[in-house]
Amino acid sequence: DDIGGGWFMWYFREAAAAQGRHRSASEAAAFYAKVDQEISRACDQGRLTCEAWRIPFVPPVRADELDEVGRSLAAVGKVMAFADPVWTSGLYSDLSAPTGRQMYEFLNRPHYEEAVQRRRLEGWLVGGGEEWFELRPRGQAKILSFERRPSPDLVTNLGDPGFAHHRFVLEVECNRAQPCRADLVSQTGAAVARVDLAGLGTGPHQLGHARLYVDTVGPDNQQFLKTRLSQLWLALSVRLNPLYAAIVYAGLAAFVLLLGQSLVRRRIEFPVLLATALLGAVAARALILALIDALSFPAADHVYALPALPLLMLFAIVSLHACVRGLLARRRRSLA
């Protein structure tokens, strides 16, 4: 259980390349053919316990794994029914390559989440009298600058001339995938507290015997109008999840009613046939994701389910439209 099934092939390929087996395509093909022969021979001789399975890249499914497949299928169903909150966090992008800036401009400067974020914080920090502090980064955190500035307002408000230079401007660089912590250390070298630089927001913070107040927090990068509009649209569409879920459930109910009528009449009309085909495509996607989620890597999320969601909405709309048309036609006949 140390390497997921969905990642094993990449680890195996990297290990082979590290051994110099990828110097050419023909050499790589010969190496993997030899590995195949050795494994097959070991299976035939009983030195390895092997199972026959003819579907490439799909692990054999054992009977004791069916419960796990069922749980994954239920999780995928919840995603497709909009029962779970949609994940809206950005995927981190790395544009540190020499051609990264040209690629960014070529793509018309799209909004993206950098793996490294920069933060600029302004505020004041006081301890006892004229005592000042320094920040010592830990792990992936990087202190770009920690500038001490005059603070005549603190002298006036706190009534202590020792607080004449206790304002600061802090610029930090944090890796989003790693903790961004630093130790707050006094001038005497004594550690005061540990600070989460990525989580510091505006307002007061008590750090040991020191008081930290952050006035402003801002990123270095400029936020374009299209970025703000995209974020507004994303926030609006996420709030529409209950509406999407209601349409899907209503469409399923309408489809069951239409299917029952078709069985009674022994005649399938085109809208029912179309809705059945759409539902079948959605079910196939759900089954594939459930197998991947149970046997290879986590796949019960909106990213992988996205290709099926328009089909599911279309299925619900077709079913509702056909059901409403049938009810209206029946009402007209009764009135006539």
Side-chain angles (χ1 to χ4, degrees), residues 117 119 121 174 180 195-202 205:
Q117 65 169 335
R119 309 188 78 209
L121 301 93
C174 301
C180 192
V195 187
D196 178 13
L197 299 176
L200 277 180
T202 57
H205 305 273

Side-chain angles (χ1 to χ4, degrees), residues 123 158 303:
L158 299 179
V303 175

Side-chain angles (χ1 to χ4, degrees), residues 28 35 49 60 71 89 149 157 177 229 233 249 252 263 271 289 302:
V35 172
T49 302
R71 287 191 293 270
S89 299
R149 291 188 174 181
N157 293 329
L229 292 176
W233 168 247
Y249 290 130
L252 286 171
L263 293 175
L289 293 183
H302 294 88

Side-chain angles (χ1 to χ4, degrees), residues 20-136:
R21 305 295 186 174
H22 286 194
R23 282 187 288 263
S24 68
S26 58
E27 184 176 355
F31 168 72
Y32 290 119
K34 183 180 179 181
V35 172
D36 181 32
Q37 294 170 2
E38 292 177 355
I39 292 176
S40 299
R41 191 181 308 116
C43 291
D44 295 338
Q45 295 173 354
R47 291 184 289 122
L48 288 179
T49 302
C50 304
E51 296 182 30
W53 193 255
R54 302 302 180 189
I55 305 177
F57 296 122
V58 178
V61 181
R62 301 188 301 269
D64 59 351
E65 292 177 321
L66 292 179
D67 290 342
E68 191 171 349
V69 174
R71 287 191 293 270
S72 294
L73 188 60
V76 174
K78 288 180 62 178
V79 169
M80 290 188 172
F82 301 95
D84 290 334
V86 177
W87 175 62
T88 59
S89 299
L91 297 175
Y92 305 143
S93 303
D94 183 9
L95 294 178
S96 59
T99 58
R101 181 51 52 181
Q102 292 90 326
M103 180 175 67
Y104 179 61
E105 295 294 338
F106 176 76
L107 294 175
N108 194 26
R109 297 182 293 178
H111 171 65
Y112 69 96
E113 295 285 345
E114 291 185 280
V116 175
Q117 65 169 335
R118 292 188 177 185
R119 309 188 78 209
R120 177 186 173 92
L121 301 93
E122 297 185 16
W124 49 270
L125 175 64
V126 297
E130 298 182 2
E131 180 186 27
W132 189 239
F133 306 86
E134 66 172 311
L135 284 170
R136 295 178 182 175

Side-chain angles (χ1 to χ4, degrees), residues 262-325:
S262 299
L263 293 175
V264 171
R265 298 173 183 174
R266 296 185 178 181
R267 184 181 65 189
I268 299 179
E269 297 182 353
F270 176 74
V272 179
L273 187 62
L274 176 59
T276 303
L278 290 168
L279 185 60
V282 173
R285 181 72 180 186
L287 180 59
I288 291 172
L289 293 183
L291 290 172
I292 294 174
D293 186 74
L295 305 175
S296 292
F297 56 85
D301 60 44
H302 294 88
V303 175
Y304 294 112
L306 187 59
L309 297 184
L311 300 180
L312 183 60
M313 292 300 298
L314 185 58
F315 155 79
I317 292 171
V318 168
S319 300
L320 287 170
H321 181 262
C323 190
V324 171
R325 279 190 62 186

